Amino acid sequence: MFYMIRGTDVPNSLERRLTARPAHVKRLEQLRDEGRLLLSGPLPAVESEDPGPAGFTGSLIVAEFESLAAARTWANDDPYVSTGVFATVEIQPFRKVLP
């Protein structure tokens, strides 16, 4: 089943994000290579592809896991959690309908 993982950033997270990003992306690439990643990306703080110093308010990941517990374990091990980028992480089942 797919699960939606939405991390909400702490204020002024940009520097921490940039530092942790390579390890974060590596984990996402592993999900992609396993055929389990539906989508992922950051949530810009302003209406722009590159928000510059405004940074991001969080991230959204939709990926396949065997259970909610497995999704939670994966999310808790993310570098954005361990380095303090995310203030909170919300995880919910997701049912893909379209396309």
Side-chain angles (χ1 to χ4, degrees):
M1 171 167 231
F2 285 109
Y3 292 87
M4 182 265 330
I5 301 170
R6 187 192 190 292
T8 301
D9 284 22
V10 298
N12 303 309
S13 64
L14 186 57
E15 187 174 324
R16 289 182 195 180
R17 243 181 193 278
L18 294 174
T19 300
R21 186 174 188 278
H24 171 76
V25 170
K26 184 176 181 177
R27 296 180 81 236
L28 292 170
E29 290 172 339
Q30 182 178 359
L31 287 176
R32 179 202 61 204
D33 294 348
E34 294 169 358
R36 297 170 46 205
L37 184 64
L38 185 62
L39 65 89
S40 68
L43 306 170
V46 295
E47 192 174 343
S48 174
E49 286 287 321
D50 180 0
F56 301 91
T57 61
S59 295
L60 175 67
I61 300 164
V62 179
E64 188 174 21
F65 294 93
E66 61 187 44
S67 66
L68 179 61
R72 185 169 285 121
T73 297
W74 187 91
N76 287 340
D77 289 340
D78 193 89
Y80 282 0
V81 171
S82 62
T83 61
V85 172
F86 289 158
T88 61
V89 176
E90 175 188 1
I91 304 169
Q92 291 183 293
F94 178 85
R95 189 175 133 222
K96 182 182 180 214
V97 175
L98 292 172

